Amino acid sequence: MKKLDQLNFENSFARLPETFHSRLRPTPLPAPYLVSFNADAAKLIDLDQGEAGRPDFAGHFIGNRLLPGSDPLAMLYAGHQFGHYVPQLGDGRAILLGEVKNRAGEGWEIQLKGAGTTPYSRSGDGRAVLRSSIREYLCSEAMHGLGIPTTRALCIVGSDQEVYRESIESAAVVTRMAPSHVRFGSFEVFYYREQKEPIAQLADYVIGRHFAHLAEAPDKYAQFLNEVVLRTARLMAQWQAVGFSHGVMNTDNMSILGLTFDYGPFGFMDSYDPAYVCNHSDHEGRYAYDQQPHIGLWNLACLAQALTPIIPVEEANAALETYESIFASHYLGLMRKKLGLETVQRDDVELISGLLDAMHASHVDYTRLFRSLGRFNSVPGETNAALRDQFIDRAAFDAWAVAYRSRLQAEQSEDAGRRQRMDAVNPKYILRNYLAQIAIRKAEQSRDFSEVDRLLELLRRPFDEQPEMESYAALPPDWAQHIEVSCSS
Ligand code: AMP
Ligand code: MG
């Protein structure tokens, strides 16, 4: 395990030509203090977790002291925001320190989010608030615990520096880690500038580091697009299956590696509602839960367009055409697992949509329903009261239960084994907004970060029962209906 000053920095992105980034240092913040440290993420860069106790640790991860070997920069990109092309974005408040190569040979980029203004800050202050940093930190680790591809988070460091949003908040920096922070928008910027050369350069860079098996293929760029389509379609299926809404699916927030990327006003659904919009600034519902698969494709079309200078149009279109069937089959596969089904039957789609429709009509909690469905007793005549009582329309549940029972019987499903399989895919614990809100309130009001750490620990194992944490699986309290999350961060 390495000490802070021994991290093995490689910094490949910094070696790309200057067109791709701006080198600069983070802007210092006063009196940094460690809010939370994630030992799991530290392992990814071989960092000795004892280093979190160093007096200068917070200073390093708020950007006041540079880690030896790092080569800090802000990345350039553009993107479609809420459907409109915005020509120059770029990291307006995130600074990439570089990439650390671990013993296993994996490279992990380390980024300080909230580390000060950059040439791409526009009118922004370059800062992130403690509230949104806690949300990003917890959610990225929660997604990882759920088995969903995501950026990771190493730590949060706070400062007393005031930051002005709707109210006065305090500044924080979250250290984000990912194999790459390249986004769809990283390509778009050069397409709209009509610069072919950097598109090819960036594609070669990404292929070389992350899709090395394609490097020698004559149609490597088209195959690369194919892979991004595949990963994005699968990611969308995973979001849908777990009831996650990203909230700001702009193309600058779409990872070229198919990771869940840039956590802002995200939300996990409580009661099942396909029209769920987690972002209170999204008045049109562009990024509603049920729009996500379609937006995933829309965003991929933006990427494909940006790659047309290096990919024949027919090949780009062919890649896009694979999306819908990949998404549909992956989603269906995930939902079959959530229902504990082991075989493939023709009316599975109706069985699944029948359940979702009944849940929607009865405002049934998505996570709790699927978790309890593992306890469905398939013996004929059994009423399954604990499940049934979750529905206002009990007759609707009864009717569905008849179909489910006969479906289970048709594949000779055995209840105990099915329950185990279902518990391994239907989480008991998710990061509901109210849970994050309690942790944020404690942190803001009394600098008590124990709840952040508790949630981090809980959400590492979302499928385990954890009996002492039972209350964290409860339905949201009434006050949670009034939590509003917006783009403000
Ligand atoms: P986001 O909605 O967080 O993905 O941000 C969209 C763009 O705005 C990105 O390019 C960010 O870097 C930039 N941005 C967001 N907040 C700030 C801020 N407080 N200061 C500077 N840039 C920001
Ligand atoms: Mg962003």
Side-chain angles (χ1 to χ4, degrees), residues 233-269:
R234 287 196 176 151
L235 182 69
M236 293 306 113
Q238 287 186 287
W239 286 1
Q240 298 309 105
V242 81
F244 175 81
S245 244
H246 180 282
V248 195
M249 287 178 67
N250 294 334
T251 56
D252 50 302
N253 292 337
M254 296 294 290
S255 155
I256 208 74
L257 301 180
L259 308 172
T260 311
F261 193 14
D262 229 10
Y263 293 86
F266 64 82
F268 286 88
M269 280 200 284

CSV table of all heavy atoms in Angstrom, one decimal, residues 233-269:
chain,number,residue,atom,x,y,z
A,233,ALA,N,-26.7,1.2,-23.6
A,233,ALA,CA,-28.0,0.5,-23.6
A,233,ALA,C,-28.1,-0.4,-22.3
A,233,ALA,O,-29.1,-0.4,-21.6
A,233,ALA,CB,-28.1,-0.4,-24.8
A,234,ARG,N,-27.0,-1.0,-22.0
A,234,ARG,CA,-27.0,-1.8,-20.7
A,234,ARG,C,-27.2,-1.0,-19.5
A,234,ARG,O,-27.9,-1.4,-18.5
A,234,ARG,CB,-25.7,-2.7,-20.6
A,234,ARG,CG,-25.7,-3.8,-21.6
A,234,ARG,CD,-24.6,-4.7,-21.2
A,234,ARG,NE,-24.6,-5.9,-22.1
A,234,ARG,CZ,-23.6,-6.6,-22.4
A,234,ARG,NH1,-22.4,-6.3,-21.9
A,234,ARG,NH2,-23.7,-7.6,-23.2
A,235,LEU,N,-26.5,0.1,-19.5
A,235,LEU,CA,-26.6,1.0,-18.3
A,235,LEU,C,-28.0,1.5,-18.1
A,235,LEU,O,-28.5,1.5,-17.0
A,235,LEU,CB,-25.6,2.2,-18.5
A,235,LEU,CG,-25.6,3.2,-17.3
A,235,LEU,CD1,-25.0,2.5,-16.1
A,235,LEU,CD2,-24.8,4.5,-17.6
A,236,MET,N,-28.6,1.9,-19.3
A,236,MET,CA,-30.0,2.4,-19.2
A,236,MET,C,-30.9,1.3,-18.6
A,236,MET,O,-31.8,1.5,-17.8
A,236,MET,CB,-30.5,2.8,-20.5
A,236,MET,CG,-29.9,4.1,-21.1
A,236,MET,SD,-29.9,5.5,-20.0
A,236,MET,CE,-28.1,5.6,-19.6
A,237,ALA,N,-30.7,0.0,-19.0
A,237,ALA,CA,-31.5,-1.1,-18.5
A,237,ALA,C,-31.3,-1.2,-17.0
A,237,ALA,O,-32.2,-1.5,-16.3
A,237,ALA,CB,-31.1,-2.4,-19.3
A,238,GLN,N,-30.1,-1.0,-16.6
A,238,GLN,CA,-29.8,-1.2,-15.1
A,238,GLN,C,-30.5,-0.1,-14.3
A,238,GLN,O,-31.0,-0.3,-13.3
A,238,GLN,CB,-28.3,-1.2,-14.9
A,238,GLN,CG,-27.7,-2.6,-15.3
A,238,GLN,CD,-26.2,-2.7,-14.9
A,238,GLN,OE1,-25.4,-2.1,-15.5
A,238,GLN,NE2,-25.9,-3.5,-13.9
A,239,TRP,N,-30.4,1.2,-14.9
A,239,TRP,CA,-31.1,2.3,-14.2
A,239,TRP,C,-32.5,2.0,-14.1
A,239,TRP,O,-33.2,2.2,-13.0
A,239,TRP,CB,-30.9,3.6,-15.0
A,239,TRP,CG,-29.5,4.2,-14.9
A,239,TRP,CD1,-28.4,3.7,-14.3
A,239,TRP,CD2,-29.1,5.4,-15.5
A,239,TRP,NE1,-27.4,4.6,-14.5
A,239,TRP,CE2,-27.8,5.7,-15.2
A,239,TRP,CE3,-29.8,6.4,-16.3
A,239,TRP,CZ2,-27.1,6.8,-15.7
A,239,TRP,CZ3,-29.1,7.5,-16.8
A,239,TRP,CH2,-27.8,7.7,-16.5
A,240,GLN,N,-33.1,1.6,-15.2
A,240,GLN,CA,-34.6,1.3,-15.2
A,240,GLN,C,-35.0,0.2,-14.2
A,240,GLN,O,-35.9,0.4,-13.5
A,240,GLN,CB,-35.1,1.0,-16.6
A,240,GLN,CG,-34.9,2.0,-17.7
A,240,GLN,CD,-35.4,3.4,-17.3
A,240,GLN,OE1,-34.6,4.3,-17.0
A,240,GLN,NE2,-36.7,3.6,-17.3
A,241,ALA,N,-34.2,-0.8,-14.2
A,241,ALA,CA,-34.5,-2.0,-13.3
A,241,ALA,C,-34.4,-1.6,-11.9
A,241,ALA,O,-35.2,-2.2,-11.1
A,241,ALA,CB,-33.6,-3.1,-13.7
A,242,VAL,N,-33.5,-0.7,-11.5
A,242,VAL,CA,-33.4,-0.4,-10.1
A,242,VAL,C,-34.2,0.8,-9.7
A,242,VAL,O,-34.3,1.2,-8.5
A,242,VAL,CB,-31.9,-0.2,-9.7
A,242,VAL,CG1,-31.4,1.2,-10.1
A,242,VAL,CG2,-31.6,-0.5,-8.3
A,243,GLY,N,-34.8,1.5,-10.7
A,243,GLY,CA,-35.7,2.6,-10.4
A,243,GLY,C,-34.9,3.9,-10.1
A,243,GLY,O,-35.3,4.8,-9.4
A,244,PHE,N,-33.8,4.0,-10.9
A,244,PHE,CA,-32.9,5.2,-10.7
A,244,PHE,C,-33.2,6.2,-11.8
A,244,PHE,O,-33.3,5.9,-13.0
A,244,PHE,CB,-31.4,4.8,-10.8
A,244,PHE,CG,-30.4,5.9,-10.7
A,244,PHE,CD1,-30.1,6.5,-9.5
A,244,PHE,CD2,-29.8,6.4,-11.9
A,244,PHE,CE1,-29.2,7.6,-9.5
A,244,PHE,CE2,-28.9,7.4,-11.9
A,244,PHE,CZ,-28.6,8.0,-10.7
A,245,SER,N,-33.2,7.5,-11.4
A,245,SER,CA,-33.3,8.6,-12.4
A,245,SER,C,-32.1,9.4,-12.3
A,245,SER,O,-31.8,9.9,-11.2
A,245,SER,CB,-34.6,9.4,-12.1
A,245,SER,OG,-35.5,9.3,-13.1
A,246,HIS,N,-31.5,9.7,-13.4
A,246,HIS,CA,-30.2,10.5,-13.3
A,246,HIS,C,-30.5,12.0,-13.1
A,246,HIS,O,-29.8,12.7,-12.4
A,246,HIS,CB,-29.4,10.3,-14.6
A,246,HIS,CG,-28.1,11.0,-14.7
A,246,HIS,ND1,-28.1,12.4,-15.0
A,246,HIS,CD2,-26.9,10.7,-14.4
A,246,HIS,CE1,-26.8,12.8,-15.0
A,246,HIS,NE2,-26.1,11.8,-14.6
A,247,GLY,N,-31.5,12.5,-13.9
A,247,GLY,CA,-31.9,13.9,-13.7
A,247,GLY,C,-31.4,14.9,-14.7
A,247,GLY,O,-32.1,15.8,-15.1
A,248,VAL,N,-30.1,14.7,-15.1
A,248,VAL,CA,-29.5,15.7,-16.1
A,248,VAL,C,-28.7,14.9,-17.1
A,248,VAL,O,-27.5,14.9,-17.2
A,248,VAL,CB,-28.6,16.7,-15.4
A,248,VAL,CG1,-28.4,17.9,-16.4
A,248,VAL,CG2,-29.2,17.3,-14.2
A,249,MET,N,-29.5,14.2,-18.0
A,249,MET,CA,-28.8,13.4,-19.0
A,249,MET,C,-28.4,14.2,-20.2
A,249,MET,O,-28.7,13.9,-21.4
A,249,MET,CB,-29.7,12.2,-19.5
A,249,MET,CG,-29.9,11.2,-18.4
A,249,MET,SD,-31.0,9.9,-19.0
A,249,MET,CE,-30.1,9.2,-20.3
A,250,ASN,N,-27.6,15.3,-19.9
A,250,ASN,CA,-27.0,16.0,-21.0
A,250,ASN,C,-25.9,15.3,-21.6
A,250,ASN,O,-25.3,14.5,-20.9
A,250,ASN,CB,-26.6,17.4,-20.5
A,250,ASN,CG,-27.8,18.3,-20.1
A,250,ASN,OD1,-28.9,18.1,-20.6
A,250,ASN,ND2,-27.6,19.2,-19.2
A,251,THR,N,-25.5,15.5,-22.8
A,251,THR,CA,-24.4,14.7,-23.4
A,251,THR,C,-23.1,14.9,-22.8
A,251,THR,O,-22.2,14.1,-22.9
A,251,THR,CB,-24.3,14.9,-25.0
A,251,THR,OG1,-24.1,16.3,-25.2
A,251,THR,CG2,-25.5,14.4,-25.7
A,252,ASP,N,-22.9,16.0,-22.0
A,252,ASP,CA,-21.7,16.2,-21.3
A,252,ASP,C,-21.7,15.4,-20.0
A,252,ASP,O,-20.6,15.4,-19.3
A,252,ASP,CB,-21.5,17.7,-21.0
A,252,ASP,CG,-22.7,18.4,-20.4
A,252,ASP,OD1,-23.8,18.4,-21.0
A,252,ASP,OD2,-22.6,18.9,-19.3
A,253,ASN,N,-22.8,14.8,-19.7
A,253,ASN,CA,-22.8,14.0,-18.5
A,253,ASN,C,-22.9,12.5,-18.9
A,253,ASN,O,-23.3,11.7,-18.0
A,253,ASN,CB,-24.0,14.3,-17.6
A,253,ASN,CG,-23.8,15.7,-17.0
A,253,ASN,OD1,-22.7,16.2,-16.8
A,253,ASN,ND2,-24.9,16.3,-16.6
A,254,MET,N,-22.6,12.2,-20.1
A,254,MET,CA,-22.7,10.8,-20.6
A,254,MET,C,-21.2,10.3,-20.8
A,254,MET,O,-20.5,10.8,-21.6
A,254,MET,CB,-23.4,10.7,-21.9
A,254,MET,CG,-24.9,11.1,-21.9
A,254,MET,SD,-25.9,10.0,-20.9
A,254,MET,CE,-25.9,8.6,-22.0
A,255,SER,N,-20.9,9.2,-20.0
A,255,SER,CA,-19.6,8.7,-20.0
A,255,SER,C,-19.4,7.8,-21.2
A,255,SER,O,-20.2,7.0,-21.6
A,255,SER,CB,-19.4,7.8,-18.8
A,255,SER,OG,-18.4,6.8,-19.0
A,256,ILE,N,-18.2,8.0,-21.8
A,256,ILE,CA,-17.8,7.2,-23.0
A,256,ILE,C,-17.6,5.7,-22.6
A,256,ILE,O,-17.6,4.8,-23.4
A,256,ILE,CB,-16.5,7.8,-23.6
A,256,ILE,CG1,-16.4,7.5,-25.1
A,256,ILE,CG2,-15.3,7.4,-22.9
A,256,ILE,CD1,-17.4,8.3,-25.8
A,257,LEU,N,-17.5,5.5,-21.3
A,257,LEU,CA,-17.3,4.1,-20.8
A,257,LEU,C,-18.6,3.5,-20.3
A,257,LEU,O,-18.6,2.4,-19.8
A,257,LEU,CB,-16.3,4.1,-19.6
A,257,LEU,CG,-14.9,4.6,-20.0
A,257,LEU,CD1,-14.0,4.5,-18.7
A,257,LEU,CD2,-14.3,3.8,-21.1
A,258,GLY,N,-19.7,4.2,-20.5
A,258,GLY,CA,-21.0,3.7,-20.0
A,258,GLY,C,-21.1,3.7,-18.5
A,258,GLY,O,-21.8,2.8,-17.9
A,259,LEU,N,-20.5,4.6,-17.8
A,259,LEU,CA,-20.6,4.7,-16.4
A,259,LEU,C,-21.7,5.7,-16.0
A,259,LEU,O,-21.9,6.7,-16.8
A,259,LEU,CB,-19.3,5.3,-15.8
A,259,LEU,CG,-18.0,4.6,-16.2
A,259,LEU,CD1,-16.8,5.4,-15.7
A,259,LEU,CD2,-17.9,3.2,-15.6
A,260,THR,N,-22.3,5.5,-14.9
A,260,THR,CA,-23.2,6.5,-14.4
A,260,THR,C,-22.3,7.7,-14.0
A,260,THR,O,-21.3,7.5,-13.3
A,260,THR,CB,-24.0,6.0,-13.1
A,260,THR,OG1,-24.5,4.8,-13.4
A,260,THR,CG2,-25.0,7.0,-12.7
A,261,PHE,N,-22.6,8.9,-14.4
A,261,PHE,CA,-21.6,10.0,-14.4
A,261,PHE,C,-22.3,11.3,-14.0
A,261,PHE,O,-23.3,11.6,-14.5
A,261,PHE,CB,-21.1,10.1,-15.8
A,261,PHE,CG,-19.8,10.9,-16.0
A,261,PHE,CD1,-19.1,11.3,-14.9
A,261,PHE,CD2,-19.4,11.2,-17.2
A,261,PHE,CE1,-17.9,12.0,-15.1
A,261,PHE,CE2,-18.2,12.0,-17.4
A,261,PHE,CZ,-17.5,12.4,-16.3
A,262,ASP,N,-21.7,12.0,-13.1
A,262,ASP,CA,-22.1,13.4,-12.7
A,262,ASP,C,-23.4,13.3,-12.0
A,262,ASP,O,-24.5,13.6,-12.6
A,262,ASP,CB,-22.1,14.3,-14.0
A,262,ASP,CG,-21.4,15.6,-13.6
A,262,ASP,OD1,-20.7,15.6,-12.6
A,262,ASP,OD2,-21.5,16.6,-14.4
A,263,TYR,N,-23.3,13.1,-10.7
A,263,TYR,CA,-24.5,13.0,-9.9
A,263,TYR,C,-25.0,14.4,-9.5
A,263,TYR,O,-24.2,15.1,-8.8
A,263,TYR,CB,-24.2,12.2,-8.7
A,263,TYR,CG,-24.0,10.7,-9.0
A,263,TYR,CD1,-22.7,10.3,-9.4
A,263,TYR,CD2,-25.0,9.8,-9.0
A,263,TYR,CE1,-22.5,8.9,-9.7
A,263,TYR,CE2,-24.8,8.4,-9.3
A,263,TYR,CZ,-23.5,8.0,-9.6
A,263,TYR,OH,-23.3,6.7,-9.9
A,264,GLY,N,-26.1,14.8,-9.9
A,264,GLY,CA,-26.7,16.1,-9.5
A,264,GLY,C,-28.1,15.8,-8.8
A,264,GLY,O,-28.1,15.2,-7.7
A,265,PRO,N,-29.1,16.2,-9.5
A,265,PRO,CA,-30.5,16.0,-8.9
A,265,PRO,C,-31.1,14.6,-9.1
A,265,PRO,O,-32.2,14.4,-9.4
A,265,PRO,CB,-31.3,17.1,-9.6
A,265,PRO,CG,-30.6,17.2,-10.9
A,265,PRO,CD,-29.2,16.9,-10.7
A,266,PHE,N,-30.2,13.6,-9.0
A,266,PHE,CA,-30.7,12.2,-9.2
A,266,PHE,C,-31.7,11.8,-8.2
A,266,PHE,O,-31.9,12.5,-7.1
A,266,PHE,CB,-29.5,11.2,-9.1
A,266,PHE,CG,-28.9,11.2,-7.7
A,266,PHE,CD1,-29.5,10.4,-6.7
A,266,PHE,CD2,-27.8,12.0,-7.4
A,266,PHE,CE1,-28.9,10.5,-5.4
A,266,PHE,CE2,-27.3,12.0,-6.1
A,266,PHE,CZ,-27.9,11.3,-5.1
A,267,GLY,N,-32.4,10.7,-8.4
A,267,GLY,CA,-33.3,10.2,-7.4
A,267,GLY,C,-33.6,8.7,-7.7
A,267,GLY,O,-33.7,8.3,-8.8
A,268,PHE,N,-33.8,8.0,-6.6
A,268,PHE,CA,-34.4,6.6,-6.7
A,268,PHE,C,-35.9,6.8,-6.4
A,268,PHE,O,-36.3,7.5,-5.5
A,268,PHE,CB,-33.8,5.7,-5.6
A,268,PHE,CG,-32.4,5.3,-5.9
A,268,PHE,CD1,-31.3,6.1,-5.5
A,268,PHE,CD2,-32.1,4.1,-6.6
A,268,PHE,CE1,-30.0,5.7,-5.7
A,268,PHE,CE2,-30.8,3.7,-6.8
A,268,PHE,CZ,-29.7,4.5,-6.4
A,269,MET,N,-36.7,6.1,-7.3
A,269,MET,CA,-38.1,6.2,-7.1
A,269,MET,C,-38.5,5.7,-5.8
A,269,MET,O,-38.0,4.6,-5.4
A,269,MET,CB,-38.8,5.4,-8.2
A,269,MET,CG,-38.9,6.1,-9.5
A,269,MET,SD,-40.2,5.3,-10.4
A,269,MET,CE,-39.4,3.8,-10.9
